[in-house]
Amino acid sequence: MSSLPSSIDVAIIGAGAAGLGAAHALRDKDVSFIVLEGRDRIGGRAHTIMASPEVTFDLGCGWLHSADRNSFAVIAEQLAFTIDKSRPPWRDQAYEAAFPRAEREDFLRALEAFFTRTAEAATSGRDAPASICLEPGNRWNGMIDAICTYLNGCELDQMSLLDFEAYEDTELNWRVRGGYGALVAAYGAGLPVALNCNVTLIDHSDKRVRLTTSQGTLTADKVIVTVPTNLIAEEALRFKPALPDKVAAASGLPLGLDNKVTLALEGWEHLPKDSGMRGRSSTARVGSFQLRPFGQPCIEGFYGGSFARQIEAAGEGALAAQAIDDVVALLGSDIRKSLRPLAESRWGADPFARGAYSHALPGHAGKRAVLAAPVDERLFFAGEATPPDFFSTAHGARDSGERAAREALASLGRP
Ligand SMILES: Cc1cc2nc3c(=O)[nH]c(=O)nc-3n(C[C@H](O)[C@H](O)[C@H](O)COP(=O)(O)OP(=O)(O)OC[C@H]3O[C@@H](n4cnc5c(N)ncnc54)[C@H](O)[C@@H]3O)c2cc1C
């Protein structure tokens, strides 16, 4: 951990994937820089824990999305992390009884038809809530909405159609055996980071930018801001003079909510490892499960949108209790005594995240470019909300940090 200098060329705010990407791009470039991080650890929304001696669990990102174009897939190989390239079980179902095959196929057809309609609707260039593409009266609308909560952290009526379509996905999804959060932490090892350093004010009224932090003040020539949008929108981090365009852009790109839970599973080794399980539902209030991920003795659950918000509001332990009830409903009451809560995320309550990942509200699809634009050749913006295509992801965040660092270097005359 680094102590806070009083003056620096470039200050990077936030040691998540974006801030660490920026820091890597500044190494060996003959500029002084430091990463200022409010938490007592690096990684941000990438965070792997040992939930038990046998269970590695990613509280945040877990999948190397668009793996063939994912810079973290390359970094994982460089850092000797094992990559699992098996197909995710999202469309499969371990238990026929919970969601019989014929019905599942009917649902997948409805989902594909919905995606076709969103693609067609987006060609008009007019934004609208993505929910306009639901077929009125279709019995699978609730489950299609649930899929949106997993993808975006919100229901379709809160989701910009154009943003939904702008997301780029090569449909190749891999995993990191040791944990995605562990990979991001390894990537950040050795970089100059001041931990427990919460930045509250960026004063750019003078020639040099003055940062007020929980560890004192610091002046910098250039500042790269990578904090989650909700912190800018709610002005936990303020600018002086104020930057109303940035606050408005961040408000149009709020973080939705997704939470994850892992339950220890005793016995039940006959459950197929890495299989998916989801009950049939007529609403978006449904969790999604992965059984024995990597063959570990656990079941992982994933909940999104307003259902996740409601469960999180019920307090610590509520997500595990919900997940146990849901698994019992799907697999039968015998399994209850074999399940034990291990760990759960509460990203909405996390003061340095205030949500899971960004989505554009209807009418706000263009706000990613507004948020990403530099101010006055001195303030640069990165983070998962800023890429035009790989937004909401860890690799998109990392690449955006690299982009912001290049912009800062160019403005220092050191491209
Ligand atoms: C449940 C969940 C599942 C996910 N699944 C995936 C997935 O499978 N694949 C994928 O690619 N992505 C996934 N994501 C998204 C991914 O984790 C994020 O997009 C990415 O990690 C964001 O990186 P970032 O650097 O933009 O932001 P962050 O990781 O949030 O980093 C910002 C940093 O800034 C710090 N900070 C905030 N405010 C201040 C301040 N005022 N002063 C100083 N420091 C501050 C924070 O503590 C944080 O460390 C998931 C996220 C969640 C929550």
Side-chain angles (χ1 to χ4, degrees), residues 13-20 36-39 41-47 58-65 70 90 167 180 184 197-200 226-228 231 236-237 255 257-260 302 345 347 350-353 355-358 382-385 391-398 400:
I13 307 178
L20 300 175
L36 310 174
E37 169 55 51
R39 301 176 196 267
R41 62 168 180 85
I42 63 171
R45 284 170 274 166
H47 189 200
D58 271 310
L59 287 155
C61 54
W63 293 91
L64 294 159
H65 295 312
N70 186 315
W90 299 327
Y167 178 71
Y180 205 153
V184 174
C197 184
N198 181 20
V199 183
T200 50
T226 76
V227 307
L231 284 110
L237 174 60
L255 304 194
L257 190 59
D258 286 282
N259 274 322
K260 291 163 82 172
F302 195 94
S345 67
W347 288 106
D350 181 317
F352 291 109
Y357 31 88
S358 66
E384 56 84 8
F391 47 80
S392 313
T393 65
H395 64 289
R398 195 213 70 86
S400 76

Side-chain angles (χ1 to χ4, degrees), residues 309-342:
R309 269 185 213 289
Q310 187 194 330
I311 301 169
E312 196 181 289
E316 230 161 279
L319 186 60
Q322 178 72 44
I324 289 175
D325 285 350
D326 289 347
V327 171
V328 167
L330 292 168
L331 294 180
S333 52
D334 278 0
I335 200 169
R336 187 179 289 276
K337 59 181 180 307
S338 307
L339 295 171
R340 185 169 46 85
L342 281 180

Side-chain angles (χ1 to χ4, degrees), residues 24-107:
H24 266 276
L26 294 179
R27 284 204 319 185
D28 311 321
K29 293 289 188 302
D30 196 25
V31 293
S32 61
F33 68 94
I34 189 160
V35 188
L36 310 174
E37 169 55 51
R39 301 176 196 267
D40 60 3
R41 62 168 180 85
I42 63 171
R45 284 170 274 166
H47 189 200
T48 305
I49 60 167
M50 287 304 294
S52 79
E54 300 93 28
V55 176
T56 309
F57 178 51
D58 271 310
L59 287 155
C61 54
W63 293 91
L64 294 159
H65 295 312
S66 299
D68 49 341
R69 291 180 51 201
N70 186 315
S71 51
F72 271 125
V74 179
I75 292 163
E77 280 181 10
Q78 287 164 353
L79 296 177
F81 276 74
T82 304
I83 293 182
D84 181 302
K85 298 187 178 177
S86 44
R87 214 166 62 93
W90 299 327
R91 289 184 169 234
D92 308 330
Q93 178 75 28
Y95 283 88
E96 281 297 309
F99 200 166
R101 175 179 292 273
E103 291 217 56
R104 223 166 57 237
E105 284 171 357
D106 195 37
F107 162 65

